[in-house]
């Protein structure tokens, strides 16, 4: 009003807020609806996330129970879950493998050790017969054995090979000899043998000891014999 040229502008200005009032309100409403939409979206996203998470947890749980079942199969040598419920979970090794243990029912020969078939041993593409592991597939194998024994006299422990290439005699692959120095101080001892060998089909591996009566048989897993293709 003080400046001559501006009243018209003031009029315009004074009039300008009048029509602008409704848009302001609608802007607020828009904001409110936008906030609502945003909130709705956020809640939806959170719910979706929870659903996906639940799915992942369920799948992990399923996988976890599967692996624990197969683990227990390998360790205990027994399938706890009936095979009818999960036929697809049976896992085979990729190469021939055998792991044998001692057992209550096992009767050793004087020099050649026998191994338990009641313990449901791990035997894949290898056979067991009369104390011997029989090779089915030619290849390089890691062969091992561990025995626990009473160290009161000289004790030999060896892994022997019977092959068609040398008929009649077995070939010692690995051997350890224990000489007791002080009988009173060292009564119990262990021998572990392990090495890699090229084996042919129908080769037979067995564990020989100087006196199987000296072998300690407190627990079945104290005396073991095994082989696996590398
Ligand atoms: C088992 O092996 C032992 C020692 O090699 C042998 O004396 C015995 O005759 C074999 N028994 C059978 C049934 O083959
Ligand atoms: C084998 O060990 C048993 C038990 O210690 C003993 O009575 C027997 O004389 C041993 N046999 C030989 C051939 O050393």
């Amino acid at each position: 009003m003080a400046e001559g040229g501006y009243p018209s502008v003031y009029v315009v200005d004074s009039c300008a807020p009048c029509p602008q009032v409704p848009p302001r309100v609608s802007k607020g409403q828009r904001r409110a609806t936008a906030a609502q939409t945003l909130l709705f979206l956020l809640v939806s996203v959170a719910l979706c996330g929870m659903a996906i998470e639940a799915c992942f947890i369920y799948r992990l749980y399923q996988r976890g129970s599967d692996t624990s079942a197969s683990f227990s199969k390998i360790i205990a040598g027994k399938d706890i879950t009936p095979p009818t419920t999960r036929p697809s979970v049976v896992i085979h090794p990729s190469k021939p493998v055998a792991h044998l243990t001692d057992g209550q029912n096992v009767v050793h020969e004087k020099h050649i050790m026998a191994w338990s078939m009641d313990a449901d041993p791990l035997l894949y593409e290898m056979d067991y017969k009369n104390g011997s592991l029989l090779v089915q597939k030619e290849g390089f194998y890691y062969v091992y054995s561990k025995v626990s024994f009473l160290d009161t006299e000289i004790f030999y422990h060896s892994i022997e090979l019977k092959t068609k290439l040398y008929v009649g005699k077995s070939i010692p692959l690995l051997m350890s000899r224990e000489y007791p120095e002080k009988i009173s101080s060292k009564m119990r001892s262990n021998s572990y043998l392990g090495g890699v060998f090229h084996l042919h089909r129908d080769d037979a591996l067995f564990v020989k000891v100087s006196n199987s009566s000296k072998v300690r048989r407190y627990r079945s897993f104290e005396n073991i014999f095994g082989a696996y293709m590398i």
Side-chain angles (χ1 to χ4, degrees):
M1 276 206 231
E3 287 160 67
Y6 287 97
S8 57
V9 178
Y10 272 105
V11 171
V12 173
D13 270 4
S14 63
C15 275
C18 302
Q20 271 176 5
V21 171
R24 261 183 207 164
V25 174
S26 70
K27 250 187 203 170
Q29 274 175 346
R30 240 181 270 159
R31 255 181 229 153
T33 43
Q36 272 178 350
T37 316
L38 189 68
L39 193 69
F40 178 73
L41 271 172
L42 281 173
V43 168
S44 306
V45 166
L47 282 173
C48 274
M50 274 169 75
I52 290 164
E53 214 173 312
C55 277
F56 270 113
I57 288 167
Y58 179 72
R59 279 182 59 186
L60 267 177
Y61 175 76
Q62 290 285 91
R63 221 181 283 169
S65 58
D66 286 0
T67 33
S68 65
S70 52
F71 257 118
S72 64
K73 184 179 162 60
I74 288 165
I75 291 163
K78 278 176 187 172
D79 203 348
I80 292 160
T81 51
T84 44
T85 52
R86 278 181 196 157
S88 58
V89 187
V90 178
I91 298 163
H92 289 299
S94 55
K95 290 174 181 178
V97 58
H99 181 81
L100 312 173
T101 60
D102 202 350
Q104 298 281 325
N105 58 317
V106 172
V107 180
H108 297 308
E109 291 192 26
K110 194 184 169 191
H111 296 296
I112 294 165
M113 288 185 69
W115 304 95
S116 175
M117 287 296 108
D118 288 357
D120 200 3
L122 180 61
L123 268 174
Y124 180 73
E125 293 183 338
M126 290 192 91
D127 279 334
Y128 173 78
K129 202 182 169 189
N130 192 26
S132 292
L133 271 178
L134 305 174
V135 176
Q136 291 181 0
K137 278 189 176 175
E138 185 189 337
F140 286 88
Y141 286 76
Y142 181 78
V143 183
Y144 63 92
S145 172
K146 186 251 165 190
V147 294
S148 183
F149 59 95
L150 286 171
D151 194 10
T152 54
E153 57 188 14
I154 299 167
F155 187 87
Y156 298 11
H157 171 214
S158 65
I159 297 177
E160 308 264 334
L161 169 70
K162 251 188 192 167
T163 174
K164 282 178 177 173
L165 303 173
Y166 299 95
V167 185
K169 226 181 163 187
S170 64
I171 304 159
L173 299 180
L174 297 155
M175 179 181 265
S176 74
R177 297 180 196 213
E178 195 81 19
Y179 298 93
E181 284 176 20
K182 291 172 191 168
I183 290 168
S184 56
S185 68
K186 198 184 174 192
M187 283 288 281
R188 291 166 188 174
S189 202
N190 293 286
S191 168
Y192 183 89
L193 302 169
V196 174
F197 302 93
H198 184 205
L199 302 175
H200 299 85
R201 191 184 159 83
D202 296 329
D203 279 359
L205 299 161
F206 59 93
V207 176
K208 196 173 167 182
V209 290
S210 53
N211 184 351
S212 62
S213 311
K214 296 281 179 203
V215 174
R216 289 183 71 237
R217 304 181 65 189
Y218 181 56
R219 298 257 178 93
S220 64
F221 45 82
E222 283 186 287
N223 302 310
I224 57 164
F225 177 35
Y228 56 86
M229 191 188 262
I230 58 165

